[in-house]
């Protein structure tokens, strides 16, 4: 019986270690453009994990730059708290998944693992319970990192979709304006089937 208990404990420790990913060095992005774009298909990612304040997913129009899109943790006059959900953005966008890879939001489905990221850079794996694609009014957000990298993302234009601030607090996309500072992540461009590759690539 002791051997069984020990094995279960070791399995639990191994699973906990596996669920914890590397610490990401997030960056501050200064917004340079906030523009309504019309209708588009957006993806809600519903995970099997309860997220907390300051936590969400890294999503971007390119594989080299991402905004930290916050989970629907906060209650509002429009909806109840849904701490398992990230309204992540348009279905063409990239999102970070474990092991340094990315996936298109259109590829996210039940059983897929995604990477959840805190404003501190701490990360964890989460299993997707479902993904919902629905047609909604959209918004283009662009920003620049201190190194001069441009990051952009098309998101649903609604009060409940929020970007993450350095403090872990949030700002709704409907309240964003040029000059605002939000959290994101940048890395070298170049992907093949979601894996990093060395190549010259330009995405506009």
């Amino acid at each position: 019986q002791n051997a069984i208990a020990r094995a279960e404990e070791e399995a639990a420790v191994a699973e906990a270690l596996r669920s914890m990913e590397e610490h990401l060095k997030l960056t501050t992005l200064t917004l340079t453009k906030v523009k309504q774009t019309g209708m588009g298909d957006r993806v809600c990612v519903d995970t099997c994990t309860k997220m907390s304040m300051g936590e969400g997913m890294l999503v971007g129009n390119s594989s080299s730059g991402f905004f930290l899109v916050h989970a629907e943790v906060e209650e509002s006059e429009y909806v109840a708290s849904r701490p398992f959900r990230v309204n992540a953005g348009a279905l063409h966008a990239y999102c970070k998944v474990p092991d340094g890879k990315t996936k298109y939001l259109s590829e996210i489905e039940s059983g897929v693992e995604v990477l959840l990221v805190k404003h501190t850079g701490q990360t964890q794996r989460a299993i997707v319970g479902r993904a919902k694609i629905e047609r909604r009014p959209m918004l283009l957000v662009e920003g620049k990192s201190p190194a001069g990298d441009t990051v952009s993302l098309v998101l649903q234009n609604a009060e409940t979709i929020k970007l993450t601030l350095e403090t872990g607090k949030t700002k709704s996309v409907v309240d964003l304006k040029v000059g605002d500072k939000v959290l994101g992540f940048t890395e070298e461009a170049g992907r093949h089937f979601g894996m990093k590759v060395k190549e010259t690539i330009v995405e506009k």
Side-chain angles (χ1 to χ4, degrees):
Q1 215 166 12
N2 284 342
I4 294 173
R6 193 179 312 112
E8 289 176 346
E9 184 179 344
E10 288 173 355
V13 170
E15 175 61 24
L17 290 173
R18 193 186 76 84
S19 71
M20 298 310 295
E21 287 288 312
E22 63 184 289
H23 187 280
L24 296 179
K25 187 176 181 182
L26 301 181
T27 189
T28 300
L29 303 171
T30 302
L31 298 188
T32 56
K33 182 186 291 185
V34 181
K35 178 184 177 184
Q36 295 186 33
T37 61
M39 301 296 289
D41 293 325
R42 68 94 175 102
V43 182
C44 262
V45 181
D46 289 352
T47 73
C48 300
T49 298
K50 182 179 180 180
M51 286 171 271
S52 58
M53 279 302 300
E55 192 168 18
M57 289 172 56
L58 288 170
V59 192
N61 281 341
S62 81
S63 61
S64 60
F66 308 82
F67 286 99
L68 183 51
V69 183
H70 203 276
E72 293 188 6
V73 172
E74 299 172 288
E75 288 191 18
S76 75
E77 59 184 295
Y78 305 101
V79 295
S81 172
R82 294 185 176 94
F84 53 83
R85 172 175 294 174
V86 178
N87 190 326
L91 80 170
H92 73 276
Y94 293 90
C95 70
K96 293 285 286 181
V97 297
D99 304 319
K101 298 179 182 179
T102 63
K103 280 186 180 292
Y104 293 119
L105 286 179
S106 62
E107 298 176 314
I108 301 301
E109 60 186 8
S110 180
V112 166
E113 276 192 321
V114 293
L115 194 68
L116 305 183
V117 183
K118 294 266 301 179
H119 69 287
T120 57
Q122 180 183 347
T123 66
Q124 64 172 323
R125 297 171 184 245
I127 299 295
V128 173
R130 66 173 165 257
K132 296 198 305 176
I133 300 175
E134 296 169 307
R135 196 156 182 80
R136 295 288 187 269
M138 307 296 278
L139 185 78
L140 171 66
V141 180
E142 289 185 0
K144 276 200 179 295
S145 73
D149 298 312
T150 297
V151 178
S152 67
L153 177 60
V154 178
L155 292 150
Q156 181 181 342
N157 186 10
E159 292 83 354
T160 53
I161 290 82
K162 299 175 181 180
L163 297 183
T164 312
L165 308 180
E166 287 180 299
T167 59
K169 293 184 178 179
T170 63
K171 189 161 189 179
S172 171
V173 296
V174 301
D175 296 324
L176 293 176
K177 59 184 185 299
V178 171
D180 284 348
K181 296 182 184 297
V182 298
L183 281 176
F185 179 74
T186 60
E187 60 185 351
E188 189 175 346
R191 295 273 171 178
H192 185 63
F193 295 111
M195 300 182 70
K196 281 186 184 180
V197 294
K198 275 283 185 184
E199 66 175 348
T200 300
I201 184 169
V202 176
E203 293 176 306
K204 294 184 178 180

